Amino acid sequence: MSPELIAVLAVIAVALAFDYTNGFHDAANAIATSISTRALTPRVALAMAAVGNFIGAHFGAEVAKTVGSGLVKLPTGQASLGIVFAGVIGAIVWNLVTWYFGLPSSSSHALIGGLVGSTVAASGTVLWTGIGESVIIPMVLSPMVGFVLGYIVMIAVQWIFRKGHPGKLNRGFRWAQTASAAAMSVGHGMQDAAKTIGIVVLALYVGGYQDDPGFIPEWAFWTSAAVLAAGTYAGGWRIIRTLGRKIIDLKPPEGFAAETVASGVLYFNALVLGAPISTTHTITSAIMGVGATKRLSAVRWGVAGNIVGAWILTFPAAGSIGALMYFLVRPLFS
């Protein structure tokens, strides 16, 4: 087995390890609201999220292409594989840190930050225009859109069902949440499995095993989807508790509204823009928007502030870890 092939396999392996941590770290994105409102039992919700992630991965080609060829430009060779390896390690480390503290940070931005950090450390080429258009702008806009739409949709739900019996409405919306949580799971797969696929394609390209940086082999879809689904089924209970219970006290109508808004934003960005946005930012901001319809004090802003702080730190923190890891692993890829 050639050194080049070993290096490529090492990068693919660490990308799949990130995929697994992404699954249990971001499981909360799809199912926390359904569990907190008792619309679904935890294991049923996790199984549904895993299946949804698996299905959604096959619709995330545009996001995968953005991650694989629209963020950094690396020459072929083992040195470039070391850059990718270090960047993914940076993302994994940050995922584990935020998971330990129960903070729903963005695995997407951790991955992109880690890759950019290792590329900068290696004096490589970062496509800052692509970063700005595909990452920074959506990173700023998607939480705003999620918050505003969450508020509007919840107001609409309250007005439409203003004469309904609370007990019957709660039962009805628990059933509706099954559909909205499933939609959220598919959207999560479109976004997050696709990012790992992008890293796999980048490894194949810089390793010299494929000529087209935009081509995605079919096995990459299946492998990334399966690993993300496995990680999702493993669960991320610390973050599920934060999203489902600590921001606001959710009821079924609110959970349905938040999930519907978040999945819509994810679908639009994946299918129309091909932008790798954060599922975490989107669902969390939608939950905050829904909660604000009660009264602003209904949102636990202290918890929300900690979450936003983790959002702000994610890109530079993962980037710094990625840069450090590059200097540590560089001798192995020379």
Side-chain angles (χ1 to χ4, degrees):
M1 188 179 292
S2 68
E4 291 80 9
L5 179 57
I6 293 173
V8 169
L9 293 176
V11 174
I12 292 175
V14 79
L16 294 177
F18 165 80
D19 202 25
Y20 187 83
T21 67
N22 191 349
F24 72 71
H25 188 279
D26 286 9
N29 297 338
I31 61 173
T33 54
S34 296
I35 292 174
S36 68
T37 62
R38 296 181 175 84
L40 297 170
T41 63
R43 284 298 167 191
V44 169
L46 281 168
M48 185 180 70
V51 172
N53 284 339
F54 188 84
I55 294 170
H58 292 79
F59 296 94
E62 292 305 314
V63 173
K65 290 176 183 176
T66 298
V67 173
S69 59
L71 305 178
V72 298
K73 186 176 181 180
L74 301 173
T76 58
Q78 285 194 67
S80 293
L81 288 169
I83 294 171
V84 180
F85 184 92
V88 178
I89 291 292
I92 291 174
V93 170
W94 185 248
N95 267 359
L96 293 176
V97 168
T98 51
W99 167 80
Y100 180 81
F101 289 104
L103 293 173
S105 67
S106 170
S107 295
S108 306
H109 294 155
L111 179 61
I112 296 167
L115 183 59
V116 169
S118 61
T119 301
V120 170
S123 300
T125 302
V126 177
L127 303 176
W128 291 110
T129 300
I131 294 285
E133 293 177 353
S134 300
V135 180
I136 303 300
I137 293 175
M139 180 175 70
V140 173
L141 289 182
S142 60
M144 295 180 182
V145 171
F147 185 92
V148 172
L149 288 182
Y151 185 90
I152 292 172
V153 169
M154 192 62 219
I155 290 292
V157 167
Q158 291 173 339
W159 187 83
I160 293 169
F161 296 98
R162 64 191 182 282
K163 296 181 180 179
H165 186 276
K168 291 182 179 179
L169 287 176
N170 281 338
R171 286 193 294 272
F173 275 106
R174 282 196 179 97
W175 283 104
Q177 267 198 278
T178 303
S180 62
M184 184 70 195
S185 301
V186 173
H188 181 244
M190 284 183 187
Q191 284 286 340
D192 288 54
K195 288 152 192 164
T196 298
I197 293 168
I199 294 297
V200 169
V201 169
L202 181 60
L204 292 172
Y205 174 71
V206 300
Y209 283 86
Q210 78 176 42
D211 297 327
D212 182 2
F215 173 73
I216 302 172
E218 184 61 29
W219 64 264
F221 283 107
W222 288 93
T223 305
S224 178
V227 173
L228 182 67
T232 298
Y233 190 71
W237 300 110
R238 293 172 185 264
I239 296 173
I240 286 172
R241 283 191 290 269
T242 299
L243 269 184
R245 299 175 185 174
K246 293 184 179 180
I247 298 176
I248 65 167
D249 294 317
L250 287 169
K251 292 183 173 60
E254 294 146 3
F256 171 79
E259 289 171 343
T260 300
V261 166
S263 58
V265 174
L266 292 176
Y267 283 30
F268 179 80
N269 279 275
L271 299 176
V272 178
L273 302 180
I277 68 166
S278 167
T279 54
T280 305
H281 291 194
T282 306
I283 185 61
T284 306
S285 59
I287 290 172
M288 292 179 188
V290 164
T293 60
K294 296 180 178 181
R295 59 187 185 282
L296 289 178
S297 60
V299 179
R300 298 183 180 101
W301 295 107
V303 175
N306 291 337
I307 293 171
V308 172
W311 291 359
I312 295 170
L313 283 175
T314 292
F315 198 91
S320 299
I321 298 169
L324 175 62
M325 289 306 304
Y326 169 73
F327 292 112
L328 294 176
V329 306
R330 181 171 57 178
L332 301 176
F333 290 87
S334 58

